[in-house]
């Protein structure tokens, strides 16, 4: 056995381990829980818990934790040891079925958006047996969902699991219509490609903005940026390579199939992609990946920046969410088939996604909305804030032929009849040429590229699963009562294409002209988080989530509160950090430099050298003017920040941050960045972009 196969999954209580450690009957029941969403009874849970504990102790664990994903977007854990006091002052190691299945935790410090009254601070965590327990840093981690006393979701996993159930139910209805009786479960699959930056830890520690906000609030462009494209897929530096090797090894031990690691377009930017997995597992694994990237970077004297836009002027970091729908019999439903029937089924699922993305553009945009991602969307090499879909020319032509009842292709004489004709073959590689599209069909899956690098993968998949479930529900309702299935199917596909083709755009989404074109088509362009969030409680969205039991209206309202609150807090911290850096570091440094220049000027005039050079004079004059301008803006920024902080209505508050605070921050930064280019290197108080972006050697 190779080293890799030996370590892979070594820290995971997976099915192989369970099979070898659980009684046959218990194992069968656990399998049912995993694959068919059946509940475990308490007697079975007790047996599983005991086996899990023995296994964990053998691996050196002393504690366990319910590992959950509150609305903070990262994971939370509270460690309890297995120790229980026994007679004679001794201890035994115990772990009960109850402790495995449900935990109780003080939820008062986790965001609840008003769902949980302060007098009812308890929160409950419940085991998700579909995601295996694992050992991390000597702690047995049990993936769990996190709810309030009243059962309302306080986390990202609960709605995700609900959405997976919704699409399972509706997709099965559709499959039955195609005569498919063997499939018993439909799951969505996700492969998230994770981008990140690596910077030198010592350099990082000299930047308050990176420490407090994760991004640079100041910084002039160095002479070299990413224009040479010499970083992309370039040779990986030895230090980075050592880091990546350790990341891979640790991820493999946790059963994460980390597959590719390469340099990205911007200097210091990299990417890691795993092999896809069932959606909730992919979400858990991505959380682990982000955690490990950050932890292991430190061991190598590096800092991993997961922020969406750590540097102005070079690419930001995203997380491509590759998504598909598969049956438990191993069929990818977004894979074009060989026979007319398979083709028809594929086209129907494709249409469900087209309809879903068009009707819930706003929810998809909201699912990736954050103060950080606002800087990235629509900037360098990132999809714009407009949601559109790329299908590629061949597939688009096929849909057009169906829509217009026209022959497809030059040679075809016959009209393309869904369910009767085999689809013409289209070469796979033509489907993935356009990297500018926010939502692209890439042969047998969709790639959603708006997601930010630090985001949880849960939210966009809640939207995708639920919106697709709704489209499939409507399709099934219509087709189940049809007299002639094939005709009804053809009509349905034709109508769906007609109604929703406005979302399909195969052109360059980075092109300015697309913004105007999209507007003409009536597509949404929700540029900022507050703009996007203003749609969350639209009637159609409340109805969608209620129909599929994903969020109640109360849950949705609480999420809106949390998202707005988070947006305000982030911008507030950034503004305060900017003020601090400006007052305490930048302005004093510039002032000092101006006085040095003035001294130089004086010295020259004493020797009557003044007429030979204007360097000191011009530089000091421009810097004085800039520092005066910056100082005035600084005071304005302080005032605006105070005004925003006072506002009590979260939507209005967010609007102040968006329309006033951020605007002033940008103006202030412009002055500072100009001052940086004029100030002698020794005087500038922070490491430059050049040092940050090219500092890892
Ligand atoms: P790239 O986008 O860099 O060309 P690929 O398209 O091969 O790379 O894969 C990108 C990601 O998509 C990988 O994480 C891969 O596992 C994932 N992926 C491939 N097939 C599926 C699928 N059916 N469902 C979800 N993700 C998938
Ligand atoms: Mg990709």
């Amino acid at each position: 056995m190779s080293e890799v196969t030996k370590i892979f999954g070594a820290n995971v209580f997976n099915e192989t381990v369970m099979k070898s450690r659980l009684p046959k009957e218990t194992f069968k029941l656990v399998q049912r829980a995993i694959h068919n969403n059946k509940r475990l009874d308490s007697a079975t849970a007790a047996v599983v818990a005991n086996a899990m504990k023995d296994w964990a102790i053998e691996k050196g664990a002393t504690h366990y934790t319910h590992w959950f994903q509150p609305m903070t977007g990262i994971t939370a854990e509270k460690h309890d040891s297995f120790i229980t006091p026994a007679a004679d002052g001794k201890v035994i190691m115990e772990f009960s079925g109850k402790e495995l299945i449900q935990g109780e935790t003080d939820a008062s410090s986790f965001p609840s958006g008003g769902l949980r009254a302060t007098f009812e601070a308890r929160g409950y965590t419940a085991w998700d047996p579909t995601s295996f327990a694992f050992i991390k840093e000597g702690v047995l981690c049990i993936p769990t969902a996190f709810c309030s006393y009243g059962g309302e979701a306080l986390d990202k996993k609960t709605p995700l699991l609900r959405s997976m159930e919704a699409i399972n139910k509706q997709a099965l209805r559709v499959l039955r219509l195609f005569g498919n009786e063997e499939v018993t479960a439909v799951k969505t699959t996700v492969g998230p490609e994770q981008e990140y930056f690596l910077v030198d830890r010592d350099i990082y520690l000299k930047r308050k903005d990176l420490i407090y906000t994760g991004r640079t609030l100041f910084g002039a462009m160095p002479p070299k940026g990413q224009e040479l494209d010499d970083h992309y897929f370039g040779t990986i530096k030895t230090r980075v390579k050592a880091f990546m090797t350790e990341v891979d090894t640790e991820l493999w031990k946790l059963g994460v199939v980390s597959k590719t690691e390469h340099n990205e377009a911007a200097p210091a930017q990299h990417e890691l992609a795993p092999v896809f997995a069932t959606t909730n597992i992919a979400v858990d694994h991505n959380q682990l990946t982000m955690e490990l990237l950050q932890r292991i970077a430190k061991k190598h004297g590096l800092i991993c920046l997961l922020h969406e836009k750590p540097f102005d002027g070079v690419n930001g970091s995203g997380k491509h969410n590759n998504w598909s729908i598969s049956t438990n019999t191993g069929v990818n439903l977004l894979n074009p088939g060989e026979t007319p029937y398979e083709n028809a089924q594929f086209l129907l699922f494709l249409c469900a996604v087209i309809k879903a993305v068009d009707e819930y553009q706003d929810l998809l945009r909201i699912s990736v909305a954050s103060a950080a991602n606002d800087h990235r969307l629509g900037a360098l090499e990132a999809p714009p804030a407009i949601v559109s879909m790329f299908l590629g020319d061949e597939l688009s032509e096929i849909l057009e032929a169906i829509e217009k009842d026209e022959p497809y292709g030059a040679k075809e004489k016959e009209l393309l009849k869904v369910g009767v004709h085999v689809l013409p073959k289209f070469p796979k590689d033509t489907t993935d040429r356009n990297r500018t599209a926010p939502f692209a069909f890439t042969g047998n899956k969709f790639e959603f590229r708006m997601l930010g690098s630090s985001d949880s993968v849960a939210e966009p998949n809640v939207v995708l699963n639920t919106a697709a479930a709704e489209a499939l529900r409507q399709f099934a309702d219509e087709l189940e009562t049809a007299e002639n299935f094939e005709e009804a199917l053809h009509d349905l596909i034709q109508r769906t294409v007609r109604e929703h083709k406005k979302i399909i755009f195969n052109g360059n989404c980075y092109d300015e002209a697309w913004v105007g074109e999209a507007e003409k088509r009536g597509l949404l362009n929700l540029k900022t988080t507050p703009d996007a969030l203003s749609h969350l409680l639209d009637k159609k969205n409340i109805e969608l989530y209620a129909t599929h039991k994903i969020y109640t209206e109360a849950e949705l309202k609480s999420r809106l509160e949390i998202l707005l609150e988070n947006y305000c807090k982030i911008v507030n911290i950034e503004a305060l950090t900017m003020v601090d850096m400006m007052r305490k570091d930048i302005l004093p440094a510039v002032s000092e430099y101006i006085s040095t220049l003035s001294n130089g000027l004086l010295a020259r005039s004493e020797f009557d050298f003044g007429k030979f050079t204007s360097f000191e004079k011009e530089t000091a004059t421009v810097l004085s003017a800039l520092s005066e301008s910056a100082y005035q803006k600084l005071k304005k920024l302080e005032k605006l920040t105070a005004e925003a902080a006072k506002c009590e209505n979260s939507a209005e508050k967010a609007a102040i941050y968006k329309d006033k605070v951020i605007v002033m921050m940008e103006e202030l930064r412009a002055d500072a960045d100009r001052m940086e280019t004029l100030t002698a290197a020794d005087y500038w108080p922070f490491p430059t972009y050049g040092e940050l972006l090219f500092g890892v050697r």
Side-chain angles (χ1 to χ4, degrees):
M1 217 168 22
S2 82
E3 203 42 44
V4 177
T5 45
K6 230 188 287 170
I7 60 167
F8 188 81
N11 292 343
V12 185
F13 194 71
N14 55 26
E15 280 183 76
T16 317
V17 179
M18 287 192 243
K19 196 169 178 191
S20 71
R21 288 182 170 257
L22 293 174
K24 242 198 185 118
E25 270 315 299
T26 314
F27 178 63
K28 264 197 202 144
L29 292 171
V30 175
Q31 272 194 315
R32 271 196 3 188
I34 296 173
H35 300 292
N36 292 318
N37 289 336
K38 294 275 182 298
R39 276 183 104 84
L40 275 192
D41 61 87
S42 55
T44 312
V47 179
V48 179
N50 200 48
M52 211 185 252
K53 176 206 68 185
D54 289 344
W55 169 83
I57 290 173
E58 278 168 36
K59 297 250 163 208
T62 50
H63 289 67
Y64 71 93
T65 181
H66 276 197
W67 184 75
F68 58 103
Q69 304 175 24
M71 294 295 297
T72 51
I74 50 174
T75 56
E77 37 193 87
K78 177 186 137 215
H79 301 169
D80 278 303
S81 74
F82 294 122
I83 288 181
T84 310
D88 313 329
K90 295 209 171 103
V91 291
I92 49 166
M93 302 293 256
E94 265 190 343
F95 184 49
S96 69
K98 196 165 155 269
E99 285 167 318
L100 167 65
I101 287 184
Q102 201 183 64
E104 197 180 311
T105 186
D106 178 4
S108 55
S109 292
F110 292 109
S112 84
L115 262 189
R116 172 192 33 69
T118 31
F119 58 84
E120 185 39 272
R122 274 178 302 168
Y124 293 89
T125 50
W127 183 32
D128 165 19
T130 60
S131 184
F132 300 131
F134 55 90
I135 295 174
K136 181 169 67 73
E137 308 274 287
V139 177
L140 170 67
C141 299
I142 299 148
T144 53
F146 177 45
C147 303
S148 77
Y149 180 67
E152 288 114 341
L154 291 174
D155 70 344
K156 307 220 174 202
K157 192 188 263 282
T158 308
L160 182 71
L161 293 174
R162 291 174 183 164
S163 75
M164 288 171 70
E165 185 42 43
I167 195 166
N168 171 55
K169 187 170 154 195
Q170 304 304 335
L172 281 176
R173 284 177 70 195
V174 168
L175 289 177
R176 298 286 181 261
L177 286 167
F178 283 88
N180 191 327
E181 299 294 333
E182 312 118 70
V183 176
T184 53
V186 172
K187 284 186 175 158
T188 55
T189 49
V190 164
E193 300 165 63
Q194 176 73 49
E195 291 181 336
Y196 59 91
F197 279 87
L198 284 180
V199 296
D200 185 89
R201 186 159 179 270
D202 293 334
I203 302 176
Y204 164 93
L205 287 173
K206 294 184 185 134
R207 297 271 323 201
K208 285 185 212 170
D209 46 2
L210 284 178
I211 294 174
Y212 295 142
T213 74
R215 73 176 178 110
T216 53
L217 299 171
F218 299 104
M221 272 311 277
K224 179 179 161 164
Q226 66 186 48
E227 56 279 85
L228 291 181
D229 286 327
D230 51 351
H231 189 66
Y232 192 51
F233 278 53
T235 356
I236 300 175
K237 293 187 184 105
T238 321
R239 193 166 156 205
V240 175
K241 181 77 206 143
F243 155 81
M244 286 178 173
T245 305
E246 191 173 341
V247 168
D248 280 341
T249 308
E250 292 307 312
L251 284 175
W252 291 336
K253 286 188 199 162
L254 290 170
V256 181
V257 199
S258 169
K259 178 96 174 151
T260 47
E261 303 240 26
H262 63 78
N263 287 353
E264 259 300 326
Q269 194 183 30
H270 309 277
E271 181 186 296
L272 179 154
V275 172
F276 68 95
T278 305
T279 304
N280 67 318
I281 294 165
V283 169
D284 289 357
H285 282 180
N286 182 253
Q287 288 288 354
L288 285 173
T289 303
M290 290 195 285
E291 185 183 325
L292 257 56
L293 283 171
Q294 289 177 301
R295 176 149 34 90
I296 294 171
K298 287 190 191 135
K299 287 172 67 181
H300 294 260
L302 300 165
I303 293 287
C304 170
L305 301 176
L306 290 175
H307 194 284
E308 280 69 13
K309 195 77 183 174
F311 304 101
D312 219 16
V314 297
N315 286 3
S317 297
K319 179 143 55 192
H320 294 174
N321 186 78
N322 294 276
W323 174 88
S324 194
I325 317 170
S326 283
T327 66
N328 63 329
T329 52
V331 178
N332 178 348
L333 295 170
L334 292 178
N335 210 353
E338 304 282 334
T339 65
Y341 245 59
E342 284 169 356
N343 282 171
Q345 186 178 293
F346 159 72
L347 282 176
L348 191 64
F349 276 94
L350 180 75
C351 280
V353 182
I354 295 172
K355 179 175 157 73
V357 173
D358 186 30
E359 288 180 347
Y360 298 99
Q361 296 162 44
D362 49 356
L363 287 182
L364 279 171
R365 171 66 184 91
I366 290 168
S367 76
V368 300
S370 68
N373 213 13
D374 283 358
H375 297 291
R376 169 180 163 261
L377 294 176
L380 283 159
E381 301 249 338
I386 306 161
V387 176
S388 69
M389 226 168 160
F390 169 87
L391 290 184
D393 292 339
E394 278 83 0
L395 198 50
S396 299
E397 277 166 29
I398 291 167
L399 292 184
E400 198 178 315
I402 296 171
E403 181 211 340
K404 298 192 173 140
D405 273 331
E406 278 171 0
Y408 166 78
K411 278 178 263 145
E412 297 282 336
K413 294 275 176 300
E414 274 182 301
L415 301 183
L416 203 64
K417 206 85 186 120
V418 176
V420 178
H421 292 120
V422 182
L423 282 188
K425 277 255 168 280
F426 51 94
K428 254 199 184 127
D429 58 338
T430 56
T431 57
D432 198 21
R433 293 263 164 75
N434 189 337
R435 312 291 287 184
T436 68
F439 201 93
F441 182 66
T442 51
N444 58 3
K445 61 182 163 45
F446 279 98
E447 186 167 335
F448 183 38
R449 302 192 174 111
M450 286 170 99
L451 190 57
S453 48
S454 70
D455 280 338
S456 158
V457 203
E459 313 244 335
N461 290 300
V462 170
V463 178
L464 282 172
N465 293 346
T466 312
E470 172 58 17
L472 292 169
R473 183 187 73 83
Q474 291 183 24
F475 290 178
D477 279 355
E478 184 170 331
L479 295 174
E480 277 167 1
T481 53
E483 273 171 25
N484 181 328
F485 176 68
E486 262 149 45
E487 263 173 31
L489 181 65
H490 185 91
D491 289 351
L492 177 59
I493 289 178
Q494 192 172 52
R495 182 156 28 89
T496 309
V497 175
R498 205 166 282 159
E499 281 169 14
H500 299 289
K501 65 179 175 192
K502 70 173 191 296
I503 196 79
I504 300 166
F505 178 64
N506 292 324
N508 180 3
C509 295
Y510 294 174
D511 193 344
E512 261 314 299
W514 167 232
V515 177
E517 160 77 18
E519 198 182 332
K520 262 193 236 140
R521 291 186 185 197
L523 299 183
L524 292 169
N525 184 2
L526 303 167
K527 287 195 186 127
T528 66
T529 297
D531 294 343
L533 288 177
S534 68
H535 288 274
L536 184 59
L537 297 180
D538 286 358
K539 191 160 162 275
K540 72 171 179 65
N541 295 337
I542 295 178
E543 279 171 7
L544 171 76
Y545 286 133
T547 306
H548 297 278
K549 301 194 169 55
I550 312 296
Y551 297 117
T552 60
E553 195 171 337
E555 285 173 325
L556 211 52
K557 280 185 175 150
S558 85
R559 267 161 215 251
L560 175 63
E561 269 311 300
I562 292 169
L563 289 165
L564 284 170
E565 218 174 80
N566 188 262
Y567 176 85
C568 295
K569 282 181 186 163
I570 299 278
V571 182
N572 193 54
I573 293 171
E574 290 184 347
L576 295 182
T577 305
M578 228 176 175
V579 166
D580 181 282
M581 290 170 80
M582 203 71 198
R583 263 194 195 280
K584 296 193 181 142
D585 302 295
I586 297 179
L587 288 177
V590 170
S591 167
E592 206 179 325
Y593 185 48
I594 291 174
S595 87
T596 303
L597 290 170
S598 314
N599 286 341
L601 206 58
L602 272 177
R604 281 183 202 279
S605 59
E606 239 164 68
F607 293 104
D608 199 23
F609 288 165
K611 56 181 183 289
F612 295 114
T613 175
S614 50
F615 167 65
E616 284 97 342
K617 194 169 169 186
E618 282 181 14
T619 310
T621 312
V622 179
L623 276 178
S624 298
L626 281 170
S627 90
E628 174 58 19
S629 155
Y631 182 56
Q632 294 309 327
K633 286 173 191 165
L634 167 71
K635 287 197 289 186
K636 280 189 202 150
L637 181 60
E638 282 175 322
K639 245 171 103 181
L640 291 171
T641 313
E643 179 193 329
K646 263 201 308 239
C647 180
E648 306 232 327
N649 174 301
S650 44
E652 285 165 22
K653 191 180 184 125
I656 304 178
Y657 281 113
K658 166 178 82 96
D659 296 325
K660 297 183 180 173
V661 175
I662 291 182
V663 174
M664 192 47 65
M665 283 170 65
E666 278 164 9
E667 284 188 28
L668 181 56
R669 175 181 182 150
D671 283 350
D673 290 357
R674 277 199 64 206
M675 289 196 280
E676 184 188 330
T677 61
L678 293 169
T679 304
D682 280 351
Y683 287 75
W684 195 254
F686 306 110
T688 61
Y689 263 33
E691 288 166 87
L692 282 164
L693 288 169
F694 300 97
V696 176
R697 306 197 177 272

